[in-house]
């Protein structure tokens, strides 16, 4: 099958435009006409109820930002009057005209777009493009502006909104899409190569419509900016999905290890001298990356020896030495190996030094700030929290999940694991079934035991960046492309409820269930599923079995 797929891909590639980078002036127009659109442009073209004046609409969900003082849109009465006249002339019923500074969740924060939005109730969007173009030209006619302006017309109730709700529990309904999964994966690999990042199975709809209007949808996420035969993929997948009454979306999306650069933790209100569940940790001296403490466990060897260990993600503890990392990536680190045993620190150097720099000046004017500054200096001088003694490397286990765990031998920090208290949940929607009585955990209450993660379970975690968040386990796992054919896995997907389930540098967080049992480890996230980011969680049973392979039969139990 591999050779057949390769020949099919080569034939498809030959039908596409020459990507050598060289072309004659005579062939330039032909080249442009054949050029396939990026995933952003292609996805935008599939939504007639959301159009922009130029380029393609910022992919949903986007982020909103405050306008800086030097950006003032020319909202004169004359401009607004002309906009309204334009809409009236084109028979566009509008409800509001407003402006936001927005950015996609998958681009750098500096790539902000000043956007004028026109909300319409028209069911016929045929004049939307003309109106967007004319309104944009009004701003251009005002003269040279010190910033760019985009114009977007949309019917917010009819546009593709990407809101996700849980799949129904109907066994026949779920089995039908499970039977189609091998074909779906084959077609996505065939048409997109390695540019796809994941395949999700969701109930998708518009947040402004009743939840009952959501439809079962296969969502293929592709790398931002990627170009593939999306038309061909759409046609092939629809032929597979139509008989079982599933819809299709193909849109931009990316995976995140939850360790990449973001804002440092703010310790201005204080820091503990010992880490707790969800604290910042990192490889000693690594000032660019960080992760989260998972849970403290006892590793019992076959000879009865008991070792105090801290469980976190392998990619949080990966060596900065490329040769060492490459070897451990490939082979993992067995207990007793001399290579890969990096030293870990709390807090991560990224957070420690950023806060020392920020607080150095403030510590002279505030007693509380000085106390925090002194604690950070104390932590800077303290011994490290421990050394890695075993790690998974980068592998897919027999169950088809990515293994991404590490054990840190840590005598100095060994402690009981503490559950997130219910008072950390700020809204009813964060609770199981929106019922505050369904999760009652007092401050300082410890993890009750080890449990199994099941579909539709309500889960909670405490992470280094996002703190306490909740979500539910989707009834279908997410196919995830880690970069090669051999590294495609199916991960348990936890969809955020009242907030993102995971954020940058949350990797390694302990995940517990409604009953106070530890059930898994957060290894990464998808940032583009819906308003709230989804997290990927490895069940503890998988980790337990894998740890046994790398520790000569060792077993893990709660501290």
């Amino acid at each position: 099958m591999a050779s057949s797929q390769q020949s099919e891909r080569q034939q498809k590639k030959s039908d596409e435009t020459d990507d050598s980078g060289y072309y004659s002036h005579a062939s330039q127009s032909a080249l442009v006409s054949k050029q396939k659109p990026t995933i952003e442009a292609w996805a935008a073209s599939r939504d007639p109820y959301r159009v922009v004046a130029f380029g393609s609409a910022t992919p949903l969900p986007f982020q909103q930002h405050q306008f800086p003082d030097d950006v003032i849109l020319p909202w004169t009465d004359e401009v607004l009057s002309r906009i309204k006249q334009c809409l009236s002339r084109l028979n566009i019923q509008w409800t509001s005209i407003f402006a936001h500074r927005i950015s996609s969740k998958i681009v750098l924060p500096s790539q902000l777009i000043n956007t004028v939005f026109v909300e319409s109730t028209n069911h016929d969007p045929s004049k939307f493009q003309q109106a967007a173009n004319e309104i944009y030209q009004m701003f251009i006619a005002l003269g040279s502006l010190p910033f760019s302006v985009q114009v977007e017309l949309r019917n917010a109730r009819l546009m593709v909104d990407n809101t996700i709700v849980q799949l129904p529990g109907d066994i026949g309904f779920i089995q039908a899409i499970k039977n189609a999964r091998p074909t779906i994966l084959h077609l996505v690999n065939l048409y997109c190569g390695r540019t796809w990042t994941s395949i999700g199975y969701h109930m998708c709809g518009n947040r402004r419509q009743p939840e009952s209007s959501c439809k079962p949808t296969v969502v293929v996420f592709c790398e931002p900016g990627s170009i593939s035969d999306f038309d061909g993929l759409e046609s092939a997948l629809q032929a597979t999905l139509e008989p079982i009454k599933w819809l299709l979306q193909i849109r931009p999306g990316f995976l995140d290890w939850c360790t990449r650069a973001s804002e440092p933790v703010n310790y201005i209100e204080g820091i503990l001298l010992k880490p707790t569940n969800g604290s910042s940790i990192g490889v000693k001296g690594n000032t660019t990356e960080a992760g989260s403490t998972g849970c403290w466990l006892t590793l019992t060897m076959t000879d009865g020896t008991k070792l105090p260990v801290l469980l976190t993600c392998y990619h949080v503890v990966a060596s900065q030495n490329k040769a060492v990392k490459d070897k451990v990536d490939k082979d993992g680190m067995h207990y007793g190996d001399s290579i890969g045993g990096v030293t870990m620190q709390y807090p991560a150097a990224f957070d420690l030094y950023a806060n020392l720099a920020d607080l150095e000046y403030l510590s002279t004017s505030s007693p509380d700030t000085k106390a925090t500054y002194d604690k950070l200096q104390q932590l800077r001088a303290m011994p490290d929290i421990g050394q890695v003694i075993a790690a998974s490397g980068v592998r897919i286990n027999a169950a088809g999940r990515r293994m991404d765990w590490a054990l840190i031998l840590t005598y100095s920090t060994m402690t009981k694991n503490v559950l997130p208290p219910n008072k950390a949940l700020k809204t009813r929607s964060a609770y199981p079934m929106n019922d505050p009585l369904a999760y009652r955990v007092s401050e300082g209450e410890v993890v009750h035991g080890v449990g199994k993660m099941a579909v539709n379970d309500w889960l909670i975690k405490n992470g280094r960046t996002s703190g306490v968040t909740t979500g539910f386990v989707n009834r279908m796992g997410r196919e995830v492309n880690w970069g090669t054919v051999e590294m495609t896995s199916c991960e348990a997907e936890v969809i955020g409820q009242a907030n993102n389930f995971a954020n940058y540098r949350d990797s390694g967080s302990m995940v517990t269930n409604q009953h106070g049992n530890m059930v898994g480890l957060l290894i990464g996230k998808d940032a583009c599923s819906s308003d709230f980011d989804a997290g990927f969680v490895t069940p503890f049973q998988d980790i337990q079995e894998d740890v046994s392979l790398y520790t000569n039969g060792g077993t893990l139990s709660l501290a």
Side-chain angles (χ1 to χ4, degrees), residues 406-449:
L407 299 179
I408 304 166
L409 182 64
T410 175
Y411 291 96
S412 62
T413 69
M414 193 66 168
T415 187
K416 295 289 185 181
N417 299 289
V418 177
L419 291 165
N422 58 273
K423 73 175 186 179
L425 305 182
K426 305 302 183 184
T427 63
R428 290 181 64 92
S429 60
Y431 285 88
M433 300 168 288
N434 298 330
D435 180 7
L437 297 179
Y439 181 75
R440 304 296 297 174
V441 173
S442 58
E443 189 80 30
E445 189 171 336
V446 300
V447 172
H448 301 168

Side-chain angles (χ1 to χ4, degrees), residues 12 36 42 46 187 191 228-238 250:
K12 290 175 64 57
K36 290 183 172 63
W42 188 91
R46 287 318 193 248
L187 292 172
Y191 284 91
S228 293
D229 185 3
F230 301 120
D231 286 335
L233 176 62
E234 180 184 53
S235 177
L237 284 178
Q238 283 179 340
I250 307 171

Side-chain angles (χ1 to χ4, degrees), residues 61-63 105 258 430 459-463 465-472 494-504 506 522 524-535:
F62 55 64
Q63 297 172 313
K105 294 179 72 173
C258 300
L459 301 181
I460 185 169
K461 74 105 183 71
N462 186 9
T465 305
S466 58
V468 177
T469 59
T470 66
F472 59 85
V494 181
I495 299 173
Q497 276 186 287
N499 212 326
N500 296 333
F501 186 74
N503 213 328
Y504 304 123
D506 280 339
L522 177 71
K525 74 165 188 172
D526 170 83
C528 305
S529 293
S530 186
D531 285 346
F532 304 134
D533 297 348

Side-chain angles (χ1 to χ4, degrees), residues 191-455:
Y191 284 91
C192 293
R194 305 314 295 172
T195 64
W196 69 276
T197 58
S198 67
I199 306 171
Y201 302 84
H202 302 135
M203 294 292 289
C204 294
N206 188 301
R207 83 194 71 186
R208 298 166 183 83
Q209 302 284 5
E211 188 173 301
S212 59
S213 67
C214 292
K215 305 294 184 184
T217 306
V218 174
V219 186
V220 180
F221 296 93
C222 296
E223 290 179 2
S226 61
I227 297 176
S228 293
D229 185 3
F230 301 120
D231 286 335
L233 176 62
E234 180 184 53
S235 177
L237 284 178
Q238 283 179 340
T240 299
L241 297 174
E242 283 177 2
I244 58 175
K245 296 180 171 54
W246 277 66
L247 303 181
L248 172 68
Q249 289 184 15
I250 307 171
R251 48 192 173 95
F254 77 102
L255 308 175
D256 194 275
W257 282 118
C258 300
T259 58
R260 75 175 187 167
S262 64
E263 293 298 317
V265 173
N266 187 344
Y267 293 129
I268 195 167
E269 294 183 359
I271 182 173
L272 299 174
L273 289 177
K274 283 191 175 182
T276 57
N277 300 104
S279 291
S280 162
I281 59 169
V283 175
K284 184 178 181 180
N286 185 338
T287 58
T288 61
E289 295 182 326
S292 294
T293 54
C295 56
W296 280 269
L297 302 164
T298 297
L299 173 64
T300 303
M301 310 302 289
T302 53
D303 63 0
T305 302
K306 296 183 181 295
L307 301 174
V309 295
L310 173 62
L311 174 67
T312 189
C313 285
Y314 163 64
H315 70 267
V316 171
V317 309
S319 174
Q320 292 179 278
N321 181 303
K322 185 179 185 304
V324 171
K325 182 179 182 301
D326 288 347
K327 184 179 188 312
V328 181
D329 280 357
K330 180 176 180 293
D331 301 327
M333 180 189 177
H334 292 76
Y335 179 69
D337 284 354
S338 59
I339 187 170
V342 300
T343 301
M344 301 297 292
Q345 71 175 83
Y346 159 78
F350 172 81
D351 293 317
L352 175 65
Y353 293 115
N355 276 272
L356 283 172
D358 290 343
L359 295 175
E360 185 172 11
Y361 171 75
L362 295 175
S363 65
T364 62
S365 58
S366 166
D368 292 339
T369 304
K370 186 179 187 309
T372 301
Y373 179 77
D374 291 342
K375 278 188 179 180
L376 287 170
Q377 289 287 17
Q378 189 177 347
L379 286 168
R380 183 180 187 180
M382 286 174 68
D384 308 304
I385 64 170
Q387 192 170 33
V388 176
I389 59 170
S392 62
V394 181
R395 300 172 15 261
I396 305 297
N397 72 355
R401 297 188 181 95
R402 177 167 182 147
M403 290 292 95
D404 187 2
W405 58 265
L407 299 179
I408 304 166
L409 182 64
T410 175
Y411 291 96
S412 62
T413 69
M414 193 66 168
T415 187
K416 295 289 185 181
N417 299 289
V418 177
L419 291 165
N422 58 273
K423 73 175 186 179
L425 305 182
K426 305 302 183 184
T427 63
R428 290 181 64 92
S429 60
Y431 285 88
M433 300 168 288
N434 298 330
D435 180 7
L437 297 179
Y439 181 75
R440 304 296 297 174
V441 173
S442 58
E443 189 80 30
E445 189 171 336
V446 300
V447 172
H448 301 168
V450 173
K452 291 186 177 181
M453 185 169 63
V455 297

Side-chain angles (χ1 to χ4, degrees), residues 72-193:
I72 302 176
L73 291 176
W75 284 114
T76 64
D77 291 341
E78 180 183 357
V79 170
L80 287 174
S81 175
R82 291 175 60 193
I83 291 175
K84 293 173 184 178
Q85 290 173 13
C86 168
L87 297 172
S88 176
R89 175 168 46 81
L90 296 175
N91 294 319
I92 294 177
Q93 303 297 317
W94 61 274
T95 57
S96 59
I97 303 170
F98 56 94
H100 281 309
R101 169 168 270 208
I102 65 173
S103 70
S104 167
K105 294 179 72 173
I106 57 179
V107 299
L108 297 174
S110 59
Q111 296 176 289
L112 303 175
I113 305 170
N114 305 309
T115 305
V116 174
F117 291 91
V118 177
E119 296 274 10
S120 171
T121 57
N122 279 37
H123 283 243
D124 176 8
S126 59
K127 297 292 185 180
F128 280 13
Q129 189 65 65
Q130 181 179 349
N133 293 343
E134 289 189 17
I135 295 170
Y136 174 70
Q137 289 301 323
M138 292 179 194
F139 287 100
I140 295 298
L142 293 174
S144 179
L145 294 174
F147 47 81
S148 61
V149 176
Q150 176 65 285
V151 176
E152 177 174 320
L153 249 85
R154 63 187 189 181
N155 183 324
R157 291 182 59 84
L158 298 180
M159 69 184 188
V160 178
D161 192 52
N162 300 337
T163 294
I164 291 175
V165 297
Q166 175 63 292
L167 287 168
D170 182 274
I171 296 176
F173 172 82
I174 296 295
Q175 191 58 49
I177 194 64
K178 283 184 176 180
N179 293 339
R181 288 181 89 159
T183 300
I184 294 169
L185 184 59
H186 166 73
L187 292 172
V188 172
N189 275 318
L190 175 64
Y191 284 91
C192 293

